[in-house]
Amino acid sequence: MRILSVILLLIAYGSLYPGNFSAPRAGTLQAFLTNFTWFTSIGDVLGNIALFFPLGIAAVLFSSSRRPKGTHFGVALLLAFIFSLALQLAQVWLPSRTAALADVLWNMVGMASGMIAANLVAKRVHTSAHSLSYLTLIPLSILVLWLLNESLPLAPTLDWQKIKDALKPLLEFNFSLPKSLMHAAGVVAAGTALMALRAQPALWLGGALIVVLAAKLIVVNLYLDASALVGMVAGYVLFASMLRLGHSRRIFEAAFWLMLIAWTAIEITPFFLTRSGTINIIPFATMLHGSMESGAHGLVRSLFIYTALLWLGHKNGMDTRKTIVGLVIWSCLIELSQMALLGRTADVTEPILLMLVGWALGVVQRHQPQVEPVAETTLPQLDDTAVTTAKMSGRRTLTSIALGMAIWVAIAWLVTRSELTPYNVRELVYQGHPFRSLVLLATLFYWSIGFPVFIARWLTRGGMYLLSFLPLVLLHGLVAWLLIVSAVPSESIHDIVGSPVLGWPWKWELLGRFLALFCIWSVAATAGSILAATGILPDAKTSLLGWVIGACLVVPVSYYVVVSQASTDNLVELIANNGSLGSFLLIGSALVLLLFGGTKVALAFSLGAVRADKATMWVLGAGVSAYLALHFGLEQIIVKYGQVFSALQFLLSSNRENLAGTGELIVRYAILYSGLLAAIVMVQGPLWRWVILAPRHDRIAREYLQDSTGSSHTPSHPSHFPTSDQ
């Protein structure tokens, strides 16, 4: 069901990109409803079919429906039709998209084709009524992706002139080593997939190569060059030789490393350095901006490479999670290196797509049938509650996050249209794409408040993990940077961190200044979370030690960049005593207190780990202390715009003309503090429940199994949570 949901979200994202909704021109809706032209171009038709083909497969292989096959087929088609029609109707309000009823028709063809293909595959991969063979489905997917990667756009023609034109590059012998390596790696990976399918791999791979070479000659827009021919032949010879010599195990190792080297080489060549690198921070924008054919080919190529690498890593005995993390880091390094290469554009799509593929493979792997172990004695079954609570908690967490983000977007949309909202807050929403901006801001909001919970939990591991606080803070800031530059107008970013003055290439100076500023929030939020969870978080003192080590490194650098070397006085003028270190630390302390109070409430609501009366006292005390810290840490007299006001008046007033008085400031602060408490409860509540419950139930399960196998240890799992008041 989760795979179905993700596919639906991706289809909706691709269909409604870039989300710049506006009123349609007169007659647009009528033209959409009366246009019955069913064929536009072969690329458009194949793209619409391919868009819903995976949905059809998932509707069969990953559906939990118990309806008869015919009924399930009809219901799935009906729901897909409604979904496709709704997307096309929405495109009427997108000036950059063209809505057409023909797209709905071809979407339905793709849906039906996927369901038929999945039913045919299911006859082989289902070993029982509801079990799925991971060992068969993933290699089959790799084989299909390889064939598609080499044969798209799948539009054959028997034109003799086309065949001669396709052979011309071969006669000219235009050879590229990286491209040849990629073709060879693809062939070897396809061979390993055939080995896993228990077929005669060398024979079937030879037949598949003949089909691919023929496709290069007769498929529109394809050609056969020396790089492809040499690479495919070399890959087949390597695979067949190792197979004949009996090195079956080494074939998987060779396939993995060859694919990794080929992927890296193809991404960083030609290697010509430049100082004006660029990066695309909108996921899938590169694929969606170009033609549908080139976008589909790029997507299939990436899916093939990532699926093959992750599966081959699994076959070589690598830990799945570590393989995913390692490949994502490697992908990020490749994309960052492309910023220094001429003609290349770094893209956040590839790491995101790699993570999605890893997640999907994990879901598929969990569907494989469980083989019952043969043993002389049968272990007692573990209580279902102890086994499934953590899993259910994870699902509730994801549901809570999705629901909370939807609520946040709705509230933010209303708030940013209110005249009572400070003007500098209203200006944060990018008016060109307000909905996309609000969604990204909601994601930034959850990321900013929620990730410190995981940092706090991570630091409790102690040992070398204590040194990970600085990398985690930098990760916190980097993701926040990607979100904020995608959601907020560049003028607003310049107002906060200043304009570039050092002459660095690209946006490195802005990125550095933003990281220095955001790290202050990250350090303060983590401190507030740890202090509030003392007594609940396992070994919170160890976590606090890791925080102290990291804070001693981060805070001086942040102060130096944000205050001492500021490129704008927009922030420095708000800090008392012309940006003194003491005032800077007071503001940081206020942030710690605000997060401390919010986390106390979150723990009280989500776990009942803090008594209501004591939580109320903590919240009131933290709120008053934070206000005092802000009062003394922020400048009291600012002369600007022909007026005299305080920093708090500047931050909390609706506009410059109507500055709030002392009483109104306190009321506005109380409202803001209450809103922040509600926000922290919404974000951190499910996360705290998850990070506390999941390890607890894992430990109970281990202790139970140890006890059932004759261990002298008696599990002890208290029926209540420790409280921070104990």
Side-chain angles (χ1 to χ4, degrees), residues 147 194 202 209 212 223 232 280 348 429 447 497 501 560 684 707:
L147 291 172
L194 288 169
L209 270 180
V212 168
Y223 56 87
M232 290 182 183
N280 174 48
V348 300
V429 179
W447 174 255
V497 301
V501 295
Y560 177 78
Q684 287 195 357
D707 184 65

Side-chain angles (χ1 to χ4, degrees), residues 132-395:
L132 183 66
S133 175
Y134 167 78
L135 299 175
T136 304
L137 182 59
I138 302 304
L140 185 62
S141 301
I142 292 173
L143 189 61
V144 171
L145 287 170
W146 173 67
L147 291 172
L148 289 175
N149 181 50
E150 297 289 356
S151 306
L152 282 175
L154 298 178
T157 178
L158 297 179
D159 184 3
W160 177 244
Q161 185 60 43
K162 161 67 179 71
I163 296 176
K164 291 192 293 184
D165 291 341
L167 287 170
K168 285 182 181 179
L170 180 62
L171 300 177
E172 297 170 358
F173 203 81
N174 295 321
F175 183 77
S176 169
L177 180 59
K179 292 181 180 179
S180 187
L181 275 175
M182 180 54 70
H183 285 295
V187 171
V188 177
T192 58
L194 288 169
M195 288 176 62
L197 293 171
R198 302 294 188 269
Q200 295 177 323
L203 179 63
W204 281 97
L205 184 59
L209 270 180
I210 294 174
V211 171
V212 168
L213 291 173
K216 298 287 185 185
L217 300 179
I218 65 174
V219 173
V220 175
N221 297 333
L222 293 186
Y223 56 87
L224 183 63
D225 60 3
S227 303
L229 183 61
V230 172
M232 290 182 183
V233 172
Y236 181 78
V237 170
L238 174 64
F239 175 78
S241 301
M242 296 186 71
L243 188 66
R244 188 172 183 82
L245 293 173
H247 300 320
S248 300
R249 176 71 178 176
R250 293 186 178 274
I251 293 178
F252 289 94
E253 296 178 0
F256 176 84
W257 292 110
L258 182 60
M259 179 64 74
L260 184 63
I261 293 171
W263 170 44
T264 305
I266 204 76
E267 291 295 333
I268 62 174
T269 53
F271 196 83
F272 298 113
L273 297 177
T274 180
R275 290 177 59 86
S276 56
T278 57
I279 183 172
N280 174 48
I281 54 178
I282 306 298
F284 301 99
T286 305
M287 298 177 182
L288 295 170
H289 271 307
S291 67
M292 185 171 288
E293 180 183 330
S294 61
H297 188 270
L299 178 61
V300 168
R301 174 179 166 274
S302 296
L303 288 174
F304 167 63
I305 293 173
Y306 302 151
T307 306
L309 282 172
L310 291 171
W311 179 73
L312 288 169
H314 173 75
K315 295 292 289 184
N316 286 314
M318 301 180 186
D319 181 79
T320 303
R321 293 185 180 180
K322 291 181 180 179
T323 305
I324 294 173
V325 172
L327 290 176
V328 168
I329 293 174
W330 189 248
S331 176
C332 292
L333 292 175
I334 289 176
E335 297 303 322
L336 288 174
S337 68
Q338 289 186 349
M339 294 178 61
L341 299 179
L342 184 65
R344 290 284 188 171
T345 300
D347 197 340
V348 300
T349 302
E350 300 304 319
I352 292 174
L353 190 59
L354 182 50
M355 287 188 286
L356 285 174
V357 171
W359 170 80
L361 293 186
V363 173
V364 173
Q365 187 176 9
R366 287 193 290 272
H367 278 75
Q368 65 178 316
Q370 300 296 322
V371 180
E372 294 295 335
V374 179
E376 296 181 0
T377 59
T378 303
L379 293 178
Q381 295 296 316
L382 185 62
D383 183 10
D384 289 342
T385 303
V387 175
T388 62
T389 299
K391 183 177 179 181
M392 293 300 295
S393 179
R395 291 181 179 177

Side-chain angles (χ1 to χ4, degrees), residues 603-725:
L603 291 170
F605 273 92
S606 61
L607 295 175
V610 182
R611 283 167 39 189
D613 55 344
K614 290 195 174 183
T616 303
M617 293 172 57
W618 282 118
V619 167
L620 292 176
V624 172
S625 301
Y627 183 84
L628 292 175
L630 289 173
H631 177 79
F632 291 107
L634 294 172
E635 184 60 59
Q636 299 300 309
I637 301 176
I638 300 175
V639 181
K640 198 171 185 180
Y641 310 120
Q643 294 177 296
V644 179
F645 49 86
S646 68
L648 273 177
Q649 285 179 307
F650 174 77
L651 293 172
L652 298 181
S653 297
S654 300
N655 52 60
R656 298 168 185 167
E657 289 73 28
N658 300 306
L659 296 172
T662 304
E664 187 180 352
L665 273 182
I666 295 175
V667 172
R668 283 177 172 269
Y669 171 80
I671 294 173
L672 182 63
Y673 182 49
S674 301
L676 180 62
L677 292 179
I680 295 174
V681 171
M682 180 188 297
V683 176
Q684 287 195 357
L687 297 179
W688 277 116
R689 186 170 183 82
W690 186 44
V691 300
I692 297 297
L693 279 180
R696 174 180 295 273
H697 284 283
D698 287 344
R699 187 178 70 253
I700 291 173
R702 289 194 300 268
E703 293 175 350
Y704 187 91
L705 289 175
Q706 289 173 0
D707 184 65
S708 63
T709 54
S711 171
S712 60
H713 172 70
T714 302
S716 174
H717 21 275
S719 58
H720 65 282
F721 293 100
T723 70
S724 59
D725 307 317

